Coordinates of all heavy atoms in Angstrom, one line a residue:
M1 N 0.8 -1.2 0.0 CA 0.0 0.0 0.0 C 0.9 1.2 0.0 O 1.9 1.3 0.7 CB -0.9 0.0 1.2 CG -1.9 1.1 1.3 SD -3.1 0.7 2.5 CE -3.4 2.4 3.1
E2 N 0.5 2.3 -0.8 CA 1.3 3.5 -0.9 C 1.1 4.4 0.3 O 0.0 4.4 0.9 CB 0.9 4.3 -2.1 CG 1.3 3.6 -3.4 CD 0.9 4.4 -4.6 OE1 -0.1 5.2 -4.5 OE2 1.4 4.1 -5.7
S3 N 2.1 5.0 0.7 CA 2.0 6.0 1.8 C 1.5 7.3 1.3 O 1.8 7.7 0.2 CB 3.4 6.2 2.4 OG 3.5 7.3 3.3
T4 N 0.6 7.9 2.1 CA 0.1 9.2 1.7 C 0.6 10.3 2.7 O 0.5 10.0 3.9 CB -1.5 9.2 1.7 OG1 -1.9 8.2 0.8 CG2 -2.0 10.5 1.3
T5 N 1.1 11.4 2.2 CA 1.5 12.5 3.0 C 0.7 13.7 2.6 O 0.1 13.8 1.5 CB 3.0 12.7 2.9 OG1 3.3 13.0 1.6 CG2 3.8 11.5 3.4
A6 N 0.6 14.7 3.5 CA -0.2 15.9 3.3 C 0.6 17.1 3.6 O 1.5 17.1 4.5 CB -1.5 15.8 4.0
Y7 N 0.2 18.2 3.0 CA 0.8 19.5 3.3 C -0.4 20.6 3.3 O -1.1 20.6 2.4 CB 1.8 20.0 2.2 CG 2.5 21.3 2.6 CD1 3.7 21.3 3.3 CD2 2.0 22.5 2.2 CE1 4.3 22.4 3.7 CE2 2.6 23.7 2.5 CZ 3.7 23.6 3.3 OH 4.3 24.8 3.6
A8 N -0.5 21.3 4.4 CA -1.5 22.3 4.5 C -1.0 23.7 4.0 O 0.0 24.2 4.6 CB -2.0 22.4 6.0
W9 N -1.5 24.2 2.9 CA -1.2 25.5 2.4 C -2.0 26.5 3.1 O -3.2 26.6 3.0 CB -1.4 25.5 0.9 CG -1.1 26.8 0.2 CD1 -1.9 27.6 -0.4 CD2 0.2 27.4 0.1 NE1 -1.2 28.7 -0.9 CE2 0.1 28.6 -0.6 CE3 1.5 27.1 0.6 CZ2 1.2 29.5 -0.8 CZ3 2.6 27.9 0.4 CH2 2.4 29.1 -0.4
P10 N -1.3 27.4 4.0 CA -2.1 28.3 4.8 C -2.7 29.5 4.1 O -2.2 29.9 3.1 CB -1.1 28.7 5.9 CG 0.2 28.7 5.1 CD 0.1 27.5 4.2
R11 N -3.8 30.0 4.7 CA -4.3 31.3 4.3 C -3.3 32.3 4.7 O -2.6 32.2 5.7 CB -5.6 31.5 4.9 CG -6.7 30.6 4.4 CD -8.0 31.0 5.0 NE -9.0 30.2 4.3 CZ -10.1 29.7 4.9 NH1 -10.4 30.0 6.1 NH2 -11.0 29.0 4.2
G12 N -3.1 33.3 3.9 CA -2.1 34.4 4.2 C -0.7 33.9 4.1 O 0.2 34.4 4.8
A13 N -0.4 32.9 3.2 CA 1.0 32.3 3.1 C 2.0 33.4 2.9 O 1.7 34.4 2.1 CB 1.0 31.3 2.1
E14 N 3.2 33.3 3.5 CA 4.3 34.2 3.3 C 5.5 33.5 2.7 O 5.4 32.3 2.4 CB 4.6 34.8 4.7 CG 3.5 35.6 5.3 CD 3.8 36.2 6.6 OE1 4.9 36.0 7.2 OE2 2.9 36.9 7.2
A15 N 6.6 34.2 2.6 CA 7.8 33.6 1.9 C 8.2 32.3 2.6 O 8.6 31.4 1.9 CB 8.9 34.7 1.9
A16 N 8.2 32.3 3.9 CA 8.7 31.0 4.6 C 7.7 29.9 4.3 O 8.2 28.7 4.1 CB 8.7 31.3 6.1
D17 N 6.4 30.1 4.1 CA 5.5 29.1 3.7 C 5.8 28.6 2.3 O 5.7 27.4 2.1 CB 4.0 29.6 3.8 CG 3.7 30.1 5.2 OD1 3.9 29.3 6.2 OD2 3.2 31.2 5.4
S18 N 6.1 29.5 1.4 CA 6.4 29.1 0.1 C 7.6 28.3 0.0 O 7.7 27.3 -0.7 CB 6.6 30.4 -0.8 OG 5.4 31.1 -0.9
A19 N 8.7 28.6 0.8 CA 9.9 27.9 0.8 C 9.6 26.5 1.3 O 10.1 25.5 0.8 CB 10.9 28.6 1.6
A20 N 8.8 26.4 2.4 CA 8.5 25.1 3.0 C 7.7 24.2 2.0 O 8.0 23.0 1.8 CB 7.7 25.2 4.3
L21 N 6.8 24.8 1.2 CA 6.0 24.1 0.2 C 6.9 23.6 -0.9 O 6.8 22.4 -1.3 CB 4.9 25.0 -0.4 CG 4.1 24.3 -1.5 CD1 3.4 23.1 -1.1 CD2 3.2 25.4 -2.2
E22 N 7.8 24.4 -1.3 CA 8.8 24.0 -2.4 C 9.6 22.8 -1.9 O 9.9 21.9 -2.7 CB 9.6 25.2 -2.8 CG 8.8 26.2 -3.6 CD 9.6 27.4 -4.0 OE1 10.8 27.4 -4.0 OE2 9.0 28.4 -4.5
R23 N 10.1 22.8 -0.7 CA 10.9 21.7 -0.2 C 10.1 20.4 -0.1 O 10.5 19.4 -0.5 CB 11.4 22.0 1.2 CG 12.6 23.0 1.2 CD 13.3 23.1 2.6 NE 12.3 23.4 3.7 CZ 12.0 24.7 4.0 NH1 12.6 25.7 3.4 NH2 11.2 24.9 5.0
W24 N 8.8 20.6 0.4 CA 7.9 19.4 0.4 C 7.6 18.8 -0.9 O 7.7 17.6 -1.2 CB 6.6 19.8 1.2 CG 5.7 18.7 1.4 CD1 5.7 17.7 2.4 CD2 4.6 18.3 0.5 NE1 4.7 16.9 2.2 CE2 3.9 17.2 1.1 CE3 4.0 18.9 -0.6 CZ2 2.8 16.6 0.6 CZ3 2.9 18.3 -1.2 CH2 2.3 17.2 -0.6
L25 N 7.3 19.7 -1.9 CA 7.1 19.3 -3.3 C 8.3 18.6 -3.9 O 8.2 17.5 -4.5 CB 6.7 20.5 -4.1 CG 5.3 21.1 -3.9 CD1 5.2 22.4 -4.6 CD2 4.2 20.1 -4.3
A26 N 9.5 19.1 -3.7 CA 10.7 18.6 -4.2 C 10.9 17.2 -3.7 O 11.4 16.3 -4.4 CB 11.9 19.5 -3.9
D27 N 10.6 16.9 -2.4 CA 10.7 15.6 -1.8 C 9.8 14.6 -2.5 O 10.1 13.4 -2.4 CB 10.4 15.6 -0.3 CG 11.5 16.3 0.5 OD1 12.6 16.5 0.0 OD2 11.2 16.6 1.7
H28 N 8.8 15.1 -3.2 CA 7.8 14.2 -3.9 C 7.9 14.2 -5.4 O 7.0 13.7 -6.1 CB 6.4 14.5 -3.4 CG 6.2 14.2 -1.9 ND1 6.4 15.2 -1.0 CD2 5.8 13.1 -1.3 CE1 6.2 14.7 0.2 NE2 5.9 13.4 0.1
G29 N 8.9 14.9 -5.9 CA 9.1 15.0 -7.4 C 8.2 16.0 -8.0 O 7.9 15.9 -9.2
W30 N 7.7 17.0 -7.3 CA 6.9 18.0 -7.8 C 7.5 19.4 -7.6 O 8.5 19.5 -6.9 CB 5.5 18.0 -7.2 CG 4.6 16.9 -7.7 CD1 4.9 15.6 -7.6 CD2 3.4 17.0 -8.3 NE1 3.8 14.9 -8.1 CE2 2.9 15.7 -8.6 CE3 2.6 18.1 -8.7 CZ2 1.7 15.5 -9.3 CZ3 1.4 17.9 -9.3 CH2 1.0 16.6 -9.6
E31 N 7.0 20.4 -8.3 CA 7.5 21.8 -8.2 C 6.4 22.8 -8.3 O 5.3 22.5 -8.9 CB 8.6 22.1 -9.2 CG 8.1 22.0 -10.6 CD 9.2 22.1 -11.7 OE1 10.3 22.3 -11.3 OE2 8.8 21.9 -12.9
V32 N 6.6 24.0 -7.9 CA 5.7 25.1 -8.1 C 5.9 25.6 -9.6 O 7.0 25.7 -10.1 CB 6.0 26.3 -7.2 CG1 5.2 27.5 -7.6 CG2 5.7 25.9 -5.7
D33 N 4.8 25.7 -10.3 CA 4.8 26.2 -11.7 C 5.1 27.7 -11.7 O 4.3 28.5 -11.2 CB 3.5 25.9 -12.4 CG 3.5 26.3 -13.8 OD1 4.3 27.1 -14.3 OD2 2.6 25.7 -14.5
P34 N 6.3 28.1 -12.1 CA 6.7 29.6 -12.0 C 5.9 30.4 -13.0 O 6.0 31.7 -12.9 CB 8.2 29.5 -12.4 CG 8.4 28.3 -13.2 CD 7.4 27.3 -12.7
M35 N 5.2 29.8 -13.9 CA 4.4 30.6 -14.9 C 3.0 31.0 -14.4 O 2.4 31.8 -15.0 CB 4.2 29.8 -16.2 CG 5.5 29.3 -16.8 SD 6.6 30.7 -17.3 CE 5.7 31.4 -18.7
V36 N 2.6 30.5 -13.2 CA 1.3 30.8 -12.7 C 1.4 31.4 -11.3 O 2.0 30.9 -10.4 CB 0.4 29.5 -12.6 CG1 -0.9 29.8 -12.0 CG2 0.3 28.9 -14.0
F37 N 0.9 32.6 -11.2 CA 0.8 33.3 -9.8 C -0.6 33.9 -9.7 O -1.0 34.6 -10.6 CB 1.9 34.4 -9.7 CG 1.8 35.0 -8.3 CD1 2.3 34.4 -7.2 CD2 1.1 36.3 -8.2 CE1 2.2 35.1 -6.0 CE2 1.0 36.9 -7.0 CZ 1.5 36.3 -5.9
M38 N -1.2 33.6 -8.6 CA -2.5 34.2 -8.3 C -2.6 34.7 -6.9 O -2.2 33.9 -5.9 CB -3.6 33.1 -8.5 CG -3.8 32.8 -9.9 SD -5.1 31.5 -10.1 CE -4.0 30.2 -10.6
A39 N -2.9 35.9 -6.7 CA -3.0 36.5 -5.4 C -4.5 36.8 -5.1 O -5.3 37.1 -6.0 CB -2.2 37.8 -5.3
G40 N -4.9 36.6 -3.9 CA -6.3 36.9 -3.5 C -6.4 37.4 -2.1 O -5.4 37.5 -1.4
G41 N -7.6 37.7 -1.7 CA -7.8 38.2 -0.3 C -7.4 37.3 0.8 O -7.1 37.8 1.9
L42 N -7.4 36.0 0.6 CA -7.0 35.0 1.6 C -5.5 34.6 1.5 O -5.1 33.7 2.2 CB -7.9 33.8 1.5 CG -9.4 34.1 1.8 CD1 -10.2 32.8 1.7 CD2 -9.6 34.6 3.2
G43 N -4.8 35.1 0.5 CA -3.4 34.8 0.2 C -3.3 34.2 -1.1 O -4.2 34.1 -1.9
P44 N -2.0 33.8 -1.5 CA -1.7 33.3 -2.8 C -2.2 31.9 -3.0 O -2.2 31.1 -2.1 CB -0.2 33.4 -2.9 CG 0.3 33.3 -1.5 CD -0.8 33.9 -0.6
A45 N -2.6 31.6 -4.3 CA -2.8 30.3 -4.7 C -1.6 29.8 -5.5 O -0.9 30.7 -6.1 CB -4.1 30.2 -5.6
V46 N -1.3 28.6 -5.5 CA -0.1 28.1 -6.2 C -0.5 26.9 -7.1 O -1.3 26.1 -6.8 CB 1.0 27.6 -5.3 CG1 1.7 28.8 -4.5 CG2 0.6 26.6 -4.3
Q47 N 0.1 27.0 -8.3 CA -0.1 25.9 -9.3 C 1.2 25.0 -9.1 O 2.3 25.5 -9.1 CB -0.1 26.4 -10.7 CG -0.2 25.4 -11.8 CD -1.6 24.8 -11.9 OE1 -2.6 25.4 -11.5 NE2 -1.7 23.6 -12.5
V48 N 1.0 23.7 -8.9 CA 2.1 22.8 -8.8 C 2.0 21.7 -9.9 O 0.9 21.5 -10.5 CB 2.1 22.1 -7.4 CG1 2.3 23.1 -6.3 CG2 0.9 21.3 -7.2
R49 N 3.2 21.2 -10.3 CA 3.2 20.2 -11.4 C 4.4 19.2 -11.1 O 5.3 19.5 -10.3 CB 3.4 20.9 -12.7 CG 4.8 21.6 -12.8 CD 5.0 22.4 -14.0 NE 6.3 23.0 -14.1 CZ 6.7 23.9 -14.9 NH1 5.8 24.4 -15.7 NH2 7.9 24.3 -14.9
P50 N 4.4 18.1 -11.7 CA 5.5 17.2 -11.6 C 6.7 17.8 -12.2 O 6.7 18.5 -13.2 CB 5.1 15.9 -12.4 CG 3.6 16.0 -12.5 CD 3.3 17.5 -12.5
V51 N 7.9 17.6 -11.6 CA 9.1 18.1 -12.1 C 9.3 17.6 -13.5 O 9.2 16.4 -13.8 CB 10.3 17.7 -11.2 CG1 11.7 18.1 -11.8 CG2 10.2 18.3 -9.8
G52 N 9.7 18.5 -14.4 CA 10.0 18.2 -15.8 C 8.8 18.1 -16.7 O 8.9 17.9 -17.9
S53 N 7.6 18.3 -16.2 CA 6.4 18.3 -17.0 C 6.2 19.5 -17.8 O 6.8 20.6 -17.5 CB 5.1 18.0 -16.2 OG 4.8 19.1 -15.4
A54 N 5.5 19.4 -18.9 CA 5.3 20.6 -19.8 C 4.4 21.6 -19.0 O 3.5 21.2 -18.3 CB 4.6 20.2 -21.0
P55 N 4.7 22.9 -19.1 CA 3.9 23.9 -18.4 C 2.6 24.2 -19.0 O 2.2 25.4 -19.2 CB 4.9 25.1 -18.4 CG 5.6 25.0 -19.7 CD 5.8 23.5 -19.9
D56 N 1.8 23.2 -19.3 CA 0.5 23.4 -19.9 C -0.6 23.3 -18.9 O -1.8 23.5 -19.3 CB 0.3 22.4 -21.1 CG 0.4 21.0 -20.6 OD1 0.4 20.7 -19.4 OD2 0.4 20.1 -21.4
G57 N -0.3 23.0 -17.7 CA -1.4 22.9 -16.6 C -2.2 21.7 -16.6 O -2.9 21.4 -15.7
E58 N -2.0 20.8 -17.7 CA -2.8 19.6 -17.7 C -2.5 18.6 -16.6 O -3.4 18.0 -16.1 CB -2.7 19.0 -19.1 CG -3.3 19.7 -20.2 CD -4.8 19.9 -20.1 OE1 -5.5 18.9 -19.7 OE2 -5.3 21.0 -20.3
S59 N -1.2 18.5 -16.3 CA -0.9 17.5 -15.2 C -0.6 18.2 -13.9 O -0.2 17.5 -13.0 CB 0.4 16.8 -15.7 OG 1.5 17.7 -15.9
G60 N -1.0 19.4 -13.7 CA -0.7 20.1 -12.5 C -2.0 20.2 -11.6 O -3.0 19.6 -11.9
L61 N -1.8 20.9 -10.5 CA -2.9 21.1 -9.5 C -2.8 22.5 -8.9 O -1.7 22.9 -8.6 CB -2.7 20.0 -8.4 CG -3.7 20.1 -7.3 CD1 -5.1 19.6 -7.8 CD2 -3.2 19.2 -6.1
L62 N -3.9 23.1 -8.8 CA -4.0 24.5 -8.2 C -4.4 24.3 -6.8 O -5.4 23.6 -6.4 CB -5.1 25.3 -8.9 CG -5.2 26.7 -8.4 CD1 -4.0 27.6 -8.6 CD2 -6.4 27.4 -9.0
I63 N -3.5 24.8 -5.9 CA -3.8 24.8 -4.4 C -4.2 26.2 -4.0 O -3.5 27.1 -4.1 CB -2.5 24.3 -3.7 CG1 -2.0 23.0 -4.2 CG2 -2.8 24.2 -2.2 CD1 -0.6 22.7 -3.7
L64 N -5.4 26.3 -3.4 CA -6.0 27.5 -3.0 C -5.6 27.7 -1.5 O -5.3 26.8 -0.8 CB -7.5 27.5 -3.1 CG -8.0 27.4 -4.6 CD1 -9.5 27.3 -4.6 CD2 -7.5 28.5 -5.5
P65 N -5.6 29.0 -1.0 CA -5.3 29.3 0.4 C -6.3 28.5 1.3 O -7.5 28.4 1.1 CB -5.6 30.8 0.5 CG -5.4 31.3 -0.8 CD -5.9 30.2 -1.8
G66 N -5.7 27.8 2.3 CA -6.4 27.1 3.3 C -6.7 25.6 2.9 O -7.3 24.9 3.7
E67 N -6.2 25.2 1.7 CA -6.4 23.8 1.3 C -5.2 23.0 1.7 O -4.1 23.4 1.9 CB -6.6 23.7 -0.2 CG -7.9 24.2 -0.7 CD -8.1 24.0 -2.2 OE1 -7.1 24.1 -3.0 OE2 -9.3 23.8 -2.6
T68 N -5.5 21.7 1.9 CA -4.5 20.7 2.2 C -4.4 19.8 1.0 O -5.4 19.3 0.4 CB -4.9 19.9 3.4 OG1 -4.9 20.7 4.6 CG2 -3.8 18.8 3.7
V69 N -3.1 19.6 0.6 CA -2.9 18.7 -0.6 C -2.3 17.4 -0.1 O -1.5 17.4 0.9 CB -1.9 19.4 -1.6 CG1 -0.6 19.7 -1.0 CG2 -1.8 18.7 -2.9
E70 N -2.6 16.3 -0.7 CA -2.1 15.0 -0.4 C -1.3 14.4 -1.6 O -1.7 14.7 -2.7 CB -3.3 14.0 -0.1 CG -4.1 14.4 1.1 CD -5.3 13.4 1.2 OE1 -5.8 12.9 0.2 OE2 -5.7 13.2 2.4
F71 N -0.3 13.7 -1.2 CA 0.5 13.0 -2.2 C 0.4 11.5 -2.0 O 0.6 11.1 -0.9 CB 2.0 13.5 -2.1 CG 2.9 12.7 -3.0 CD1 2.9 13.1 -4.4 CD2 3.7 11.7 -2.6 CE1 3.8 12.4 -5.3 CE2 4.5 11.0 -3.5 CZ 4.5 11.3 -4.8
A72 N 0.1 10.8 -3.0 CA 0.0 9.4 -3.0 C 0.6 8.8 -4.2 O 0.0 8.9 -5.3 CB -1.4 8.9 -2.8
G73 N 1.7 8.1 -4.1 CA 2.4 7.6 -5.3 C 3.0 8.7 -6.2 O 3.9 9.3 -5.8
T74 N 2.4 8.9 -7.3 CA 2.8 9.9 -8.3 C 1.8 11.0 -8.4 O 1.9 11.9 -9.2 CB 3.1 9.3 -9.7 OG1 1.9 8.7 -10.1 CG2 4.2 8.3 -9.6
R75 N 0.7 11.0 -7.6 CA -0.4 11.8 -7.7 C -0.5 12.9 -6.6 O -0.2 12.5 -5.5 CB -1.7 11.0 -7.7 CG -2.6 11.2 -8.8 CD -3.8 10.3 -8.7 NE -4.9 11.1 -8.1 CZ -5.9 10.6 -7.6 NH1 -6.1 9.3 -7.5 NH2 -6.9 11.4 -7.1
M76 N -1.0 14.0 -6.9 CA -1.3 15.1 -5.9 C -2.8 15.3 -6.0 O -3.4 15.2 -7.1 CB -0.6 16.4 -6.2 CG 0.8 16.4 -6.0 SD 1.2 16.7 -4.2 CE 2.9 16.6 -4.3
R77 N -3.5 15.5 -4.9 CA -4.9 15.8 -4.9 C -5.2 16.7 -3.7 O -4.5 16.7 -2.7 CB -5.7 14.5 -4.9 CG -5.5 13.7 -3.6 CD -6.3 12.5 -3.6 NE -6.0 11.7 -2.4 CZ -5.7 10.4 -2.4 NH1 -5.7 9.8 -3.5 NH2 -5.4 9.8 -1.3
I78 N -6.3 17.4 -3.8 CA -6.8 18.2 -2.6 C -7.5 17.2 -1.6 O -8.3 16.4 -2.0 CB -7.8 19.3 -3.1 CG1 -7.1 20.2 -4.1 CG2 -8.3 20.0 -1.9 CD1 -5.9 20.9 -3.6
A79 N -7.1 17.4 -0.4 CA -7.7 16.5 0.7 C -9.1 16.9 1.0 O -9.4 18.1 1.0 CB -6.8 16.6 1.9
H80 N -9.9 16.0 1.2 CA -11.3 16.2 1.6 C -11.3 16.0 3.1 O -10.8 15.0 3.6 CB -12.3 15.3 0.9 CG -12.4 15.6 -0.5 ND1 -13.1 16.7 -1.0 CD2 -11.9 14.9 -1.6 CE1 -13.0 16.6 -2.3 NE2 -12.2 15.6 -2.7
H81 N -11.8 17.0 3.9 CA -11.9 16.9 5.3 C -13.1 16.1 5.8 O -14.2 16.3 5.2 CB -11.8 18.3 5.9 CG -10.6 19.0 5.6 ND1 -9.4 18.8 6.1 CD2 -10.4 20.0 4.7 CE1 -8.5 19.6 5.6 NE2 -9.1 20.3 4.7
A82 N -13.0 15.3 6.8 CA -14.1 14.5 7.3 C -15.2 15.5 7.8 O -14.9 16.5 8.4 CB -13.7 13.7 8.4
G83 N -16.4 15.2 7.4 CA -17.5 16.1 7.9 C -17.8 17.3 7.0 O -18.7 18.0 7.2
V84 N -16.9 17.5 6.0 CA -17.2 18.6 5.1 C -17.4 18.1 3.7 O -16.6 17.4 3.1 CB -15.9 19.5 5.0 CG1 -16.1 20.7 4.0 CG2 -15.6 20.1 6.4
P85 N -18.6 18.3 3.1 CA -18.9 17.8 1.8 C -18.0 18.3 0.7 O -17.6 19.5 0.8 CB -20.4 18.3 1.6 CG -20.9 18.8 2.9 CD -19.7 19.1 3.7
A86 N -17.7 17.5 -0.2 CA -16.8 18.0 -1.3 C -17.4 19.2 -2.0 O -18.6 19.3 -2.2 CB -16.7 16.8 -2.4
G87 N -16.6 20.2 -2.2 CA -17.1 21.4 -2.8 C -17.6 22.5 -1.8 O -17.9 23.6 -2.2
A88 N -17.7 22.1 -0.6 CA -18.2 23.1 0.4 C -17.1 24.1 0.8 O -15.9 23.8 0.8 CB -18.6 22.4 1.7
C89 N -17.5 25.3 1.0 CA -16.6 26.4 1.4 C -16.4 26.4 2.9 O -17.4 26.3 3.6 CB -17.0 27.7 0.9 SG -17.1 27.8 -0.9
A90 N -15.2 26.6 3.3 CA -15.0 26.7 4.8 C -15.1 28.2 5.2 O -14.8 29.1 4.5 CB -13.6 26.1 5.1

């Protein structure tokens, strides 16, 4: 069975949070897509992709402020929290 790990991307993320995310992603063979930057009222959103993939967004994942991302095998996905229906806003 594959091990699953998670990273919580905080609301109001700062430079130290970005550096920590980049280290975590690198440990799993992923990287922040430097071509995509989105800022919002709750903090930045980040687009991530497998290292070496084409920057077309097809194989990547957008992580919004306050979301937790899970890594399982070669896949990244947004974690669903127990008791919160998929698609519900917190």
Side-chain angles (χ1 to χ4, degrees):
M1 185 166 144
E2 291 178 341
S3 167
T4 302
T5 57
Y7 185 89
W9 181 241
R11 290 185 174 148
E14 298 180 358
D17 300 307
S18 294
L21 174 64
E22 288 178 13
R23 285 190 304 273
W24 183 83
L25 289 167
D27 287 346
H28 295 90
W30 283 62
E31 65 187 354
V32 171
D33 185 339
M35 302 299 289
V36 179
F37 178 80
M38 290 178 252
L42 297 176
V46 291
Q47 176 79 22
V48 299
R49 64 183 185 195
V51 172
S53 67
D56 59 10
E58 290 299 317
S59 60
L61 178 70
L62 179 65
I63 306 169
L64 301 176
E67 287 186 325
T68 298
V69 65
E70 294 177 329
F71 176 78
T74 59
R75 232 178 99 196
M76 288 280 179
R77 64 179 176 231
I78 301 301
H80 294 285
H81 301 284
V84 178
C89 296

